[in-house]
Amino acid sequence: MSTLALLLLFYLVQLQLDVLAMPSSSDYDFRYMKSVYNAIDLPLKEEYDYIIVGGGTAGCSLAATLSAKYSVLVLERGNVPTAYPQVLSANGALSNLIQEDDGKTPAQRFRSEDGVANARGRILGGSSMINIGVYSRAEDEFYRDSGIPWDKDLVLKAYQWVEETIVFQYNLSVWQSIAKQALLEAGVVPDNGFNLNHIVGTKATGSIFDEKGRRHGAVELLNRGELKNLKVAVEATVKRIIFSNNLTSKDSSLTAIGVIYTDSKGRTHHAFVRNKGEVILSAGAIGSPQLLLLSGVGPVPQLSSLQIPVVHQNPYVGKFMADNPRNDVNIVSPFTLDPSVGQVVGITSEFNYIETLSYSLPFSFPMPFGLFPNTVSPLNFSLANIAVAIQGPLSSGSLRLASSSEVRVSPIVRFNYFDNPIDLARCVKGVRKVGDVLKTKALEPFKTTDLQGRKSFKFLGPSLPNNQSDDSAMERFCRESVTTFWHYHGGCLVGKVVDADLRVMGINGLRVVDGSIFNRSPGTNPQATVMMLGR
Ligand SMILES: Cc1cc2nc3c(=O)[nH]c(=O)nc-3n(C[C@H](O)[C@H](O)[C@H](O)COP(=O)(O)OP(=O)(O)OC[C@H]3O[C@@H](n4cnc5c(N)ncnc54)[C@H](O)[C@@H]3O)c2cc1C
Ligand SMILES: *[C@@H]1O[C@H](CO)[C@@H](O)[C@H](O)[C@H]1NC(C)=O
Ligand SMILES: *[C@@H]1O[C@H](CO)[C@@H](O)[C@H](O)[C@H]1NC(C)=O
Ligand SMILES: *[C@@H]1O[C@H](CO)[C@@H](O)[C@H](O)[C@H]1NC(C)=O
Ligand SMILES: *[C@@H]1O[C@H](CO)[C@@H](O)[C@H](O)[C@H]1NC(C)=O
């Protein structure tokens, strides 16, 4: 056999192993509930080896890992998933984002200064409990540029630990397999079958939903921990970090020794770490920089103007906030399509990628009557969504506090989508690729015939520019139709706010472990890498 054939065989066996390792469904695993308490039932003062702020995507993975050897307290402002049944099923995935935010709902909504509506998790399991479920590992360049000296073996083991617990492979839905065909026809090749790795071409990837539509978010990673060492407090809102200047020490170094949090009755609790223990922020890309700022760690001008005493100055806290822009079209399907969350990913060689969804419009949605003469019933139609995102991105903005005392108030965030011309060029190429996808045979059945006998798509919302060779029309489309892929990250970058071991620079006993440390969004979708990082 030639070397090439051997390599090919090896590659095929690899693909096959990925497939074999992945179940298609599994029951919910609520064992972690044994370790969950409402904060009102916790003492006003206690001590642990580690305190993790935020029981989110990274936080749950990290808590399970540390609990093998240490006592761990997780403080999560939201409630348990069973308190919000819609988060547990794929059918509820989009309703989380439409739901009115009453301060207790599992998705805290915010609007960036860019004018784009966005959301973040406020629930045990974090944003992994309100997301679309796509699971895909990071690209090699992510590790190379991350500022962290990764141990590749540990990285792989950590991904596998996550995957054997909450990641599934099941048959593609009707829409997802049509979309896969269309991507291949449009030249997003090769067909990489089912694959969790980041490789150019079209692939089916993993999901934290199983084939029955059950969500297995990061919360189920808690089950892999030593539950007797783990205490998870829900409805525990951390207000700030407690610091001590160790005056007995020669260098009088600044040390984080605990946190202050409030319960749902408004009572204040103090949790401390034992000697050599640590406070670890896993409050997400919005929550972690916000907590550092509220605790007096950040740029002096901002802290001073808000009358927050400066504990440690660092101009970079809250800087380099970035988000993958989303540009999409929604095709009104002439026939009923089963709803589907993302299973198929098209990765081009031009630093952009395409993902798809199918969904029915919720009845409560304002109905644009008259727009869709050829659809089934205007009260119940299916939509096929094709979205493009750019990798990275290179553009970034910043975050600053809107309130100097109330952690429940979302900070002000700006992502500056397409500020960098390279991002804009990548978007133009990606949108052109969506144009190619729309020209495929695979999508022909989605066209309807108008009164003049012309066949065309009916779109809900924006359609692509008519002249897709016209760069300025395409650039305008990118800017004007931009929404979010919800992959915002940054705010506590490695080398700027934390060191390569994720310790907050200049402070002992304090780390940040979540998406806020990333200088780019890993792979096509970040959650795989966020959970790997926690592990
Ligand atoms: C709608 C949506 C769809 C998405 N789709 C996908 C997808 O399909 N695939 C994918 O890979 N990624 C997806 N993402 C992105 C992905 O889910 C996030 O990048 C990832 O979950 C972030 O993890 P994290 O640990 O950094 O933060 P989070 O998971 O958000 O965790 C932060 C936690 O900290 C808690 N917290 C914050 N402040 C405090 C405080 N002061 N006190 C106590 N607790 C606090 C929060 O309640 C939350 O639970 C999506 C995100 C959203 C919002
Ligand atoms: C998935 O597809 C395979 C092959 O077509 C089929 O045998 C199997 O029954 C399908 N499983 C489900 C759950 O639909
Ligand atoms: C303070 O510093 C001294 C001397 O370095 C050390 O022995 C002691 O453990 C430190 N205390 C804390 C709370 O870190
Ligand atoms: C809408 O269509 C779906 C899929 O066929 C069906 O399950 C649902 O019952 C329909 N709803 C209404 C109100 O007709
Ligand atoms: C489309 O745009 C290109 C580039 O601007 C231009 O050369 C071409 O004439 C346009 N085509 C049409 C039909 O307008």
Side-chain angles (χ1 to χ4, degrees):
M1 229 188 281
S2 73
T3 320
L4 186 67
L6 263 174
L7 269 175
L8 247 171
L9 187 69
F10 178 71
Y11 183 63
L12 287 173
V13 168
Q14 285 259 6
L15 286 179
Q16 197 58 27
L17 283 179
D18 260 346
V19 174
L20 291 177
M22 232 45 22
S24 66
S25 78
S26 146
D27 217 337
Y28 298 114
D29 183 353
F30 292 119
R31 277 177 299 154
Y32 62 83
M33 289 295 283
K34 286 199 287 262
S35 295
V36 177
Y37 299 78
N38 193 290
I40 54 178
D41 298 325
L42 288 197
L44 297 181
K45 207 169 190 178
E46 51 183 341
E47 267 192 357
Y48 296 85
D49 293 332
Y50 287 94
I51 297 172
I52 299 175
V53 179
T57 313
C60 288
S61 172
L62 175 64
T65 303
L66 287 175
S67 71
K69 288 196 198 143
Y70 305 100
S71 71
V72 179
L73 174 67
V74 177
L75 297 167
E76 168 55 46
R77 62 186 182 147
N79 208 336
V80 291
T82 46
Y84 324 100
Q86 81 276 11
V87 305
L88 291 170
S89 89
N91 289 340
L94 292 175
S95 73
N96 289 321
L97 303 177
I98 301 167
Q99 196 176 28
E100 199 61 46
D101 181 350
D102 68 357
K104 292 196 139 224
T105 36
Q108 177 174 21
R109 295 167 70 173
F110 66 98
R111 183 176 289 273
S112 67
E113 285 191 311
D114 312 273
V116 172
N118 213 319
R120 60 173 166 140
R122 179 172 49 207
I123 176 175
L124 185 60
S127 300
S128 77
M129 305 310 289
I130 60 162
N131 71 14
I132 308 295
V134 180
Y135 181 95
S136 194
R137 296 176 185 167
E139 72 277 32
D140 288 340
E141 295 77 6
F142 168 80
Y143 306 108
R144 191 193 63 200
D145 300 341
S146 66
I148 298 173
W150 300 94
D151 174 329
K152 282 294 171 68
D153 278 348
L154 285 180
V155 166
L156 185 61
K157 283 201 182 105
Y159 276 130
Q160 286 167 342
W161 178 83
V162 173
E163 287 152 17
E164 67 200 25
T165 317
I166 58 165
V167 180
F168 299 87
Q169 184 211 354
Y170 51 94
N171 290 348
L172 297 183
S173 76
V174 170
W175 165 249
Q176 294 290 326
S177 45
I178 295 172
K180 186 173 182 212
Q181 196 50 47
L183 281 163
L184 292 169
E185 235 184 282
V188 188
V189 287
D191 181 347
N192 289 314
F194 177 77
N195 203 305
L196 298 175
N197 293 322
H198 189 92
I199 33 178
V200 168
T202 295
K203 65 169 186 168
T205 194
S207 176
I208 61 168
F209 291 102
D210 67 20
E211 81 184 346
K212 299 214 165 104
R214 291 179 288 215
R215 183 196 294 271
H216 301 272
V219 69
E220 289 192 19
L221 295 174
L222 290 173
N223 297 318
R224 300 290 301 272
E226 195 61 69
L227 293 179
K228 69 177 193 317
N229 291 339
L230 188 59
K231 192 174 268 184
V232 179
V234 294
E235 300 198 296
T237 304
V238 176
K239 297 176 66 138
R240 63 180 182 83
I241 303 158
I242 308 168
F243 296 103
S244 127
N245 264 313
N246 187 348
L247 298 175
T248 59
S249 154
K250 274 208 189 90
D251 59 3
S252 74
S253 46
L254 180 63
T255 304
I257 57 166
V259 299
I260 298 177
Y261 67 97
T262 54
D263 63 28
S264 59
K265 291 190 170 148
R267 277 187 315 177
T268 299
H269 300 242
H270 292 74
F272 293 97
V273 291
R274 295 198 183 100
N275 207 10
K276 296 227 163 77
E278 293 182 6
V279 172
I280 306 178
L281 302 184
S282 296
I286 309 288
S288 289
Q290 179 192 22
L291 271 172
L292 285 179
L293 293 168
L294 286 172
S295 306
V297 179
V300 175
Q302 186 187 159
L303 297 176
S304 305
S305 73
L306 292 166
Q307 270 126 43
I308 298 173
V310 178
V311 171
H312 183 72
Q313 72 97 18
N314 183 327
Y316 300 116
V317 175
K319 297 297 189 308
F320 309 103
M321 296 295 301
D323 186 21
N324 296 101
R326 177 188 190 93
N327 292 90
D328 58 10
V329 292
N330 291 284
I331 304 171
V332 179
S333 171
F335 45 86
T336 302
L337 273 180
D338 286 337
S340 65
V341 287
Q343 291 176 286
V344 168
V345 182
I347 303 172
T348 75
S349 51
E350 290 174 324
F351 299 97
N352 48 51
Y353 56 94
I354 295 175
E355 291 180 9
T356 73
L357 289 171
S358 56
Y359 62 104
S360 296
L361 215 52
F363 310 122
S364 58
F365 203 81
M367 300 304 288
F369 284 111
L371 263 179
F372 315 108
N374 296 314
T375 54
V376 231
S377 147
L379 279 173
N380 193 15
F381 53 81
S382 308
L383 293 148
N385 177 278
I386 306 174
V388 63
I390 58 168
Q391 267 179 258
L394 298 170
S395 310
S396 73
S398 62
L399 169 153
R400 65 184 200 278
L401 294 178
S403 164
S404 60
S405 55
E406 184 45 80
V407 68
R408 290 179 181 83
V409 175
S410 257
I412 300 159
V413 194
R414 173 188 286 277
F415 299 116
N416 291 323
Y417 299 106
F418 305 123
D419 214 26
N420 187 312
I422 297 174
D423 284 348
L424 191 58
R426 288 174 177 175
C427 177
V428 166
K429 287 184 176 151
V431 173
R432 229 164 245 153
K433 190 53 87 179
V434 172
D436 295 343
V437 169
L438 293 176
K439 288 183 197 98
T440 57
K441 279 205 189 67
L443 291 195
E444 198 63 25
F446 288 82
K447 289 183 174 167
T448 45
T449 311
D450 68 13
L451 297 173
Q452 282 83 39
R454 282 183 305 234
K455 292 189 96 189
S456 61
F457 295 108
K458 298 271 181 297
F459 294 105
L460 178 66
S463 53
L464 301 188
N466 284 330
N467 185 353
Q468 285 158 32
S469 326
D470 182 347
D471 278 350
S472 61
M474 296 294 270
E475 288 170 0
R476 220 176 310 121
F477 177 85
C478 285
R479 288 185 190 283
E480 287 174 2
S481 72
V482 67
T483 58
T484 177
F485 242 90
W486 309 288
H487 296 172
Y488 47 83
H489 56 277
C492 301
L493 247 55
V494 176
K496 302 283 187 199
V497 175
V498 297
D499 66 15
D501 290 321
L502 310 187
R503 297 175 192 276
V504 176
M505 297 191 295
I507 302 176
N508 298 314
L510 184 63
R511 290 192 217 223
V512 182
V513 178
D514 59 26
S516 67
I517 63 134
F518 295 153
N519 55 16
R520 66 204 269 173
S521 188
T524 53
N525 302 71
Q527 69 173 343
T529 305
V530 174
M531 293 185 230
M532 178 279 284
L533 178 76
R535 176 65 179 164

